[in-house]
Amino acid sequence: PSKDFDNFRTLLRSSKHIIAVAGAGLSAASGIPTFRGTGGMWRKYDAFSLATPEGFAQSPSLVWQFYHYRRQAALAAQPNRAHLALSFFSLPAARNQIVPGSTFTLITQNVDGLSARSDQEPPILEMHGRLFDLLCTNRKCKHVEFNAESPICEGLAGTEMLIETKTTDPNIELEDLPRCSKCGALGRPGVVWFGETPHHLDTIDGLVAQADLCLVIGTSSKVYPAASYAEEVKRHGGKVAVFNVEHSHGDSKAHYLFPGPCEETLPKALGLSISVDRKI
Ligand code: NAD
């Protein structure tokens, strides 16, 4: 694959339908802890305990503390240059000066809400849901509360500090965990867990089918279906550009490969100069 930015910008200018598929690496420079990195103590739990419906049924208290911690970390973080570059590029007036008459959609696996906070032009397809949504577990109710405030219940307030100091987690009683504001049943984080179906799949399939350029940003390309999108774009003749600090499964599909932090390589590839003085 080519690493030539000038060459990439020539391709970009002639593209018509552009998509970006983003992962946790997009938010790395914002200091969002990765699953493995969170406070150390989470390492003693596996993904099954923390990110499956079965794990939640086994210990809602443990799972809620994990997600409460992640919510607090996301709230404290600021969008970085890569978020801002995508946000600028998503504005039709700005993009038209770089790529006249093109469409652009961000498909993200991230649940931290940082793309939305960076004024990314909608729709942002947050295929794995959002940390800040609260879903009712009562099948008859199924109420979804968007952007539930944080801390979302008294039982969780302060538990993020326990995690920072790596002390053991308390067992929070069910009634002290977040509840549905409509029916009072137990609430759960509005994220897509292993074994659950991601959001917006039909819309995404349509976009992938027509895309002639796919930017793969900060994802290990191991989690499906997101991992298949670049392959599909390449299969029907579109081009793929991968932005990652490490080698990833996306490399084998790449026509362009930009190694390094995406907060540096992405603005450069899009021909943008981004200042991060802005607090959001
Ligand atoms: P991943 O952890 O599997 O891969 C992250 C990738 O980002 C790696 O390939 C890594 O080399 C790369 N990376 C790290 N820093 C980078 C940087 N500065 N610039 C460019 N690349 C960088 O994450 P994934 O592919 O998103 O898939 C894992 C799952 O974990 C997803 O389902 C996602 O929803 C979830 N997750 C989300 C967040 C978040 O919302 N910020 C954080 C952790 C995990």
Side-chain angles (χ1 to χ4, degrees), residues 81 84 273-278:
R81 282 190 174 83
L84 297 177
S273 155
I274 302 287
S275 143
V276 280
D277 289 328
R278 209 167 127 211

Side-chain angles (χ1 to χ4, degrees), residues 32-258:
I32 298 290
T34 61
F35 182 77
R36 286 175 188 280
T38 32
M41 77 167 287
W42 297 112
R43 288 176 199 193
K44 63 183 184 186
Y45 303 105
D46 57 11
F48 182 86
S49 316
L50 300 172
T52 60
E54 294 81 2
F56 185 66
Q58 239 164 49
S59 180
S61 166
L62 173 73
V63 173
W64 258 120
Q65 286 173 74
F66 175 60
Y67 283 96
H68 176 63
Y69 177 78
R70 291 186 61 188
R71 288 164 61 109
Q72 296 303 97
L75 281 176
Q78 291 291 324
N80 64 56
R81 282 190 174 83
H83 294 111
L84 297 177
L86 289 172
S87 153
F88 189 77
F89 193 70
S90 74
L91 300 170
R95 191 177 59 256
N96 264 322
Q97 297 190 10
I98 310 170
V99 198
S102 59
T103 67
F104 173 68
T105 308
L106 173 63
I107 300 162
T108 184
Q109 300 168 84
N110 293 348
V111 292
D112 54 35
L114 283 174
S115 290
R117 274 172 55 202
S118 64
D119 290 339
Q120 174 86 33
E121 185 82 1
I124 308 168
L125 301 176
E126 293 169 300
M127 61 184 299
H128 290 168
R130 305 198 296 197
L131 282 175
F132 301 99
D133 296 345
L134 186 76
L135 311 183
C136 179
T137 57
N138 173 0
R139 281 188 194 162
K140 289 192 184 140
C141 173
K142 287 188 174 169
H143 176 59
V144 183
E145 210 167 313
F146 294 106
N147 281 319
E149 279 180 20
S150 192
I152 38 178
C153 75
E154 287 200 4
L156 289 167
T159 55
E160 69 281 359
M161 292 312 294
L162 293 176
I163 291 157
E164 289 291 355
T165 56
K166 298 188 182 146
T167 40
T168 4
D169 45 298
N171 184 36
I172 302 169
E173 296 301 325
L174 277 187
E175 55 270 27
D176 294 330
L177 288 172
R179 315 292 303 188
C180 172
S181 62
K182 270 208 167 153
C183 78
L186 179 64
R188 59 158 276 186
V191 300
V192 175
W193 283 329
F194 292 107
E196 296 182 324
T197 308
H199 303 309
H200 313 298
L201 290 184
D202 289 346
T203 310
I204 294 173
D205 284 348
L207 289 164
V208 169
Q210 69 166 9
D212 54 4
L213 176 59
C214 177
L215 315 177
V216 180
I217 305 163
T219 171
S220 57
S221 296
K222 278 185 192 161
V223 178
Y224 280 81
S228 67
Y229 298 149
E231 194 169 351
E232 175 54 27
V233 171
K234 183 176 182 176
R235 202 188 54 76
H236 68 242
K239 301 289 187 214
V240 174
V242 171
F243 301 80
N244 202 309
V245 280
E246 289 173 4
H247 287 294
S248 73
H249 284 230
D251 294 6
S252 59
K253 290 113 204 167
H255 300 92
Y256 291 86
L257 188 56
F258 297 113

